[in-house]
Amino acid sequence: MTSREGVALVVSGPSGVGKTTLVDRLMAEFPGFARSVSCTTRPPRGQEVDGRDYHFMDVAEFERRREQGGFAEWAEVHGNLYGTPLEPVNALLRQGRDMIFVIDVQGAAQLKLSLPGAVFAFLLPPDLDALERRLRGRGQDDEEAMAKRMENAIAELREARWYDALVVNDVLDEAYDRLRAVYLAATLAPARNAGLVEAMLGDPFEAARRG
Ligand code: ADP
Ligand code: 5GP
């Protein structure tokens, strides 16, 4: 019998780099993926739906959950609180479901401790000007929020070095192929395919008895 623990794929990168675009594509190609739906205190943007994109809540509710140990990780990003609900994470991974976490570098560092088998991918823009153009193109932030996001982007880029994979999102199709490759490579790790070789070789003690 083989058992397979789910892959935990953590994706970080500055706001506007293309995380949502690339992760949505990965989830469309691999429908078995479970996406961790974060809790946040920021208000919904555009077409975002509560429970699908985020669990939107006020600060008091977020703090209540945090005090109860309800988050696998949490962080303050751009003045808002974000957290990964703990309960679904272990249950889904143990069931063999692959999970994707789109979280900032502070949260990713916490998951590196609590989920040592997770794979960490960092998305980079081709350059900072391109990042600013994408943020402006998205048209969801005022000037103050824009400035905060660009300042935060530079701080996040400094943390990219400890990730397992760096994916530059210049030409979208090429970036997608690379992110997909990071995921597929992770599914092949021996730790996620426990019992595969053993099933092939059979019981080693039995083999020894047979001489
Ligand atoms: P994030 O989730 O990282 O904040 P989004 O996925 O929302 O970023 O992307 C920000 C904007 O950049 C969107 O308008 C998206 O369509 C655009 N975008 C994403 N990838 C590329 C790319 N490779 N080239 C040009 N524009 C892109
Ligand atoms: P946005 O407000 O643009 O959706 O997200 C802003 C930032 O918060 C992004 O860098 C995103 O990765 C991060 N983020 C979203 N959810 C979580 C979470 O649960 N935990 C942490 N640490 N960061 C998150």
Side-chain angles (χ1 to χ4, degrees):
M1 238 263 301
T2 62
S3 67
R4 183 181 172 282
E5 188 181 308
V7 171
L9 177 64
V10 179
V11 178
S12 301
S15 237
V17 75
K19 297 183 295 298
T20 309
T21 309
L22 287 163
V23 164
D24 283 353
R25 198 156 157 185
L26 199 62
M27 294 198 57
E29 182 176 350
F30 300 98
F33 250 126
R35 179 178 181 157
S36 169
V37 179
S38 299
C39 297
T40 184
T41 61
R42 89 151 159 72
R45 264 196 322 239
Q47 304 296 311
E48 285 178 335
V49 174
D50 187 36
R52 186 193 68 189
D53 299 293
Y54 282 105
H55 300 290
F56 296 101
M57 59 189 60
D58 59 23
V59 174
E61 170 68 5
F62 189 98
E63 287 179 344
R64 192 184 61 75
R65 290 189 186 213
R66 188 178 60 192
E67 272 147 36
Q68 288 173 347
F71 293 129
E73 60 73 35
W74 70 274
E76 185 175 336
V77 186
H78 314 133
N80 296 305
L81 297 169
Y82 294 84
T84 299
L86 178 64
E87 207 270 318
V89 176
N90 293 328
L92 287 167
L93 290 176
R94 226 177 293 120
Q95 285 166 27
R97 289 286 297 278
D98 295 343
M99 287 195 78
I100 194 151
F101 303 81
V102 183
I103 60 175
D104 89 311
V105 294
Q106 307 164 74
Q110 293 169 52
L111 283 194
K112 202 166 170 71
L113 298 175
S114 56
L115 292 177
V119 176
F120 295 80
F122 193 96
L123 300 182
L124 297 162
D127 53 58
L128 290 179
D129 288 344
L131 181 65
E132 190 166 341
R133 277 197 303 279
R134 281 182 205 170
L135 278 173
R136 288 192 188 280
R138 199 166 64 174
Q140 285 166 337
D141 298 303
D142 59 24
E143 280 305 310
E144 194 187 315
M146 271 289 306
K148 222 174 196 179
R149 284 182 192 275
M150 287 306 294
E151 193 183 306
N152 201 52
I154 291 162
E156 292 217 67
L157 287 165
R158 293 208 171 91
E159 295 294 314
R161 275 171 296 190
W162 62 258
Y163 278 69
D164 298 313
L166 299 180
V167 177
V168 177
N169 182 20
D170 187 355
V171 176
L172 187 65
D173 285 347
E174 288 175 11
Y176 180 67
D177 284 346
R178 288 176 186 160
L179 183 63
R180 186 179 186 275
V182 172
Y183 164 60
L184 289 177
T187 66
L188 307 178
R192 300 211 173 75
N193 293 277
L196 196 60
V197 175
E198 290 75 2
M200 201 173 290
L201 297 182
D203 178 354
F205 298 107
E206 175 62 27
R209 277 196 294 277
R210 275 194 269 115

